[in-house]
Amino acid sequence: MGLDDRDALMTVRAAVDPAHGGDDVIGRFYNRWFASDLSARDLFPPELATQRTAFSQALFWVLGEFIEQRAEEPVAFLAQLGRDHRKYGVGQQHYAALHDALLATLRDELGASWDARVAEATTHAVDLIVGVMRGAADSEQTPPYVDGTVVEHLRVTRDVSVVRLQLDQALSYHAGQYVAVQVPQWPRRWRHLSPSMPSDASGAIEFHIRSVSGGMVSTAIVNQTAPGDRWRLSNPHGGMHVSRSDGDVLMVAGSTGLAPLRALLMNLCREAENPRVHLFFGGRYPCDLYDLRTLWEIAATNPWLSVTPVSEYTSDPPWADDYPDVQPPRGLHVRQTGLLPDVVTSYGSWGDRQILLCGGPQMVTATKAALIAKGAPPERIQHDPLAH
């Protein structure tokens, strides 16, 4: 029966369940793959915890889609995964060993459950997963990445930097998408960042980066980036967007979550008529609202945009004096004090709006839950994956 055997597929899926040791299973797969193909190990970072978790979650989801006999979304996802793995240097020569290592690991993990039906379902699933990735990577004609040079690094708050680059060639992306970035301080460690401006034909691009506690890459970017550094950017991902025919828009940005929403706003500025957009931009302190002046400049010449700054505290800490003043010109919205989910939902459910959320996973999860509790339809809420 192969992929039509739902019971057998459920047995396989249970073995890679992230909630029940799936990360460890994937860890054993990587060990087996690297042992059989030493060239593959050098393609990935030394610490594979994030990679294991991401692959475990992805495999669990894909098998779930196979169980439900849904093919379109998982095939599209696997094709993108294959194209994206080109940035690591995974080539056609690596896929045979990958296939055999994954199949052997699942066979060992299933142990006594490995009968003829499970073997057939597992083999067909691995054949399809690896085959789609391999085929998509082989057929893709675009470069796997674009390199660029840092031309400006602005330290706008204690833990936020704005970095501007000139790419060797323009990167085509839609406003609202994100890319994987590799910096010289941490080779082979890729971090997802969202461009803060629409795609530019000249190759100019800008990122907003917040240093995250324990985040090696983000901390290195904020503290060590200098003009002349060479960055590498993967092809874009994500589908966050504003539909011009689907009503007015609510945007909620926490800290550097502003970046993709700012790109969308700049893109809207190119049009003569737009839906009304209300943006809540939040930070812990008033000084964390690092890009208010740009937002005020956009709002001053585009009456469809309203901006509400939000901070958890009413005043700045002493260290704020060491960084640029972010206070905007007078005459627009007064800053609100409180947590973003509370402030946003104090205005109502926003159920008639397209809703775009961007920021840390905790903020996005809390704001989404608060909006749904107020009556906003879940299908109207967009946000990027909370774990890339």
Side-chain angles (χ1 to χ4, degrees):
M1 294 178 66
L3 293 178
D4 293 325
D5 192 335
R6 300 176 72 176
D7 289 339
L9 286 172
M10 288 175 68
T11 300
V12 182
R13 183 174 183 251
V16 296
D17 186 346
H20 297 93
D23 282 16
D24 295 333
V25 176
I26 298 305
R28 290 190 282 276
F29 150 68
Y30 277 116
N31 290 339
R32 189 186 295 262
W33 181 24
F34 297 155
S36 64
D37 184 355
L38 296 177
S39 67
R41 182 63 187 94
D42 292 336
L43 304 179
F44 293 89
E47 175 52 58
L48 282 171
T50 301
Q51 189 81 15
R52 288 199 311 267
T53 299
F55 191 43
S56 173
Q57 292 172 340
L59 189 57
F60 184 75
W61 175 78
V62 166
L63 290 170
E65 293 296 288
F66 289 169
I67 291 167
E68 297 301 325
Q69 301 293 293
R70 292 191 291 257
E72 185 176 351
E73 284 193 37
V75 167
F77 170 79
L78 290 166
Q80 182 58 53
L81 195 64
R83 289 189 292 268
D84 195 45
H85 267 63
R86 296 180 306 143
K87 74 176 186 286
Y88 295 113
V90 176
Q92 291 300 304
Q93 71 276 16
H94 297 110
Y95 278 103
L98 185 157
H99 173 282
D100 293 347
L102 182 57
L103 187 59
T105 302
L106 292 173
R107 182 185 63 234
D108 289 353
E109 188 64 29
L110 289 164
S113 300
W114 186 265
D115 57 20
R117 289 175 52 199
V118 171
E120 183 180 13
T122 307
T123 301
H124 287 191
V126 172
D127 286 350
L128 180 59
I129 290 167
V130 178
V132 171
M133 291 177 62
R134 183 180 207 162
D138 188 44
S139 62
E140 183 60 43
Q141 300 300 311
T142 61
Y145 47 75
V146 173
D147 291 334
T149 302
V150 173
V151 295
E152 191 170 17
H153 175 204
L154 304 175
R155 189 73 173 266
V156 292
T157 78
R158 185 170 65 169
D159 57 2
V160 172
S161 286
V162 172
V163 179
R164 295 172 180 145
L165 296 98
Q166 179 61 49
L167 302 179
D168 296 348
Q169 61 187 78
L171 180 65
S172 178
Y173 60 88
H174 299 295
Q177 289 190 300
Y178 58 90
V179 299
V181 174
Q182 178 184 251
V183 299
Q185 291 83 5
W186 284 103
R188 294 181 291 157
R189 292 186 184 272
W190 295 78
R191 189 181 189 276
H192 289 104
L193 299 176
S194 297
S196 61
M197 56 183 277
S199 182
D200 186 277
S202 73
I205 196 167
E206 177 183 288
F207 296 104
H208 300 175
I209 305 98
R210 184 170 68 88
S211 176
V212 179
S213 178
M216 294 177 289
V217 177
S218 63
T219 301
I221 291 174
V222 171
N223 292 322
Q224 301 173 22
T225 296
D229 284 358
R230 296 284 288 171
W231 285 20
R232 177 161 288 177
L233 282 60
S234 78
N235 290 314
H237 300 275
M240 196 156 54
H241 66 283
V242 171
S243 171
R244 300 179 56 77
S245 60
D246 199 21
D248 293 334
V249 183
L250 167 68
M251 294 181 175
V252 183
S255 186
T256 53
L258 175 67
L261 304 183
R262 180 186 189 265
L264 285 165
L265 293 175
M266 289 183 167
N267 201 51
L268 289 172
C269 289
R270 297 171 172 175
E271 305 293 337
E273 294 184 9
N274 286 303
R276 290 182 302 158
V277 179
H278 196 126
L279 168 66
F280 289 86
F281 176 33
R284 192 175 187 190
Y285 299 105
C287 64
D288 289 326
L289 305 176
Y290 62 92
D291 209 27
L292 276 182
R293 290 181 182 273
T294 301
L295 297 176
W296 291 143
E297 289 169 3
I298 297 174
T301 54
N302 293 278
W304 46 265
L305 175 63
S306 299
V307 178
T308 298
V310 181
S311 64
E312 295 181 29
Y313 297 95
T314 57
S315 58
D316 285 328
W319 52 256
D321 292 339
D322 297 333
Y323 298 94
D325 177 19
V326 303
Q327 294 303 313
R330 295 176 61 86
L332 295 175
H333 287 82
V334 175
R335 177 173 47 82
Q336 304 288 307
T337 303
L339 298 175
L340 263 175
D342 298 335
V343 173
V344 171
T345 54
S346 71
Y347 286 72
S349 73
W350 302 94
D352 60 339
R353 302 281 183 121
Q354 304 176 64
I355 301 173
L356 283 70
L357 312 178
C358 199
Q362 186 175 359
M363 185 282 288
V364 171
T365 300
T367 304
K368 182 177 182 179
L371 286 164
I372 292 172
K374 276 281 189 174
E379 63 272 14
R380 298 275 283 173
I381 301 176
Q382 300 178 50
H383 58 81
D384 285 332
L386 298 181
H388 294 296

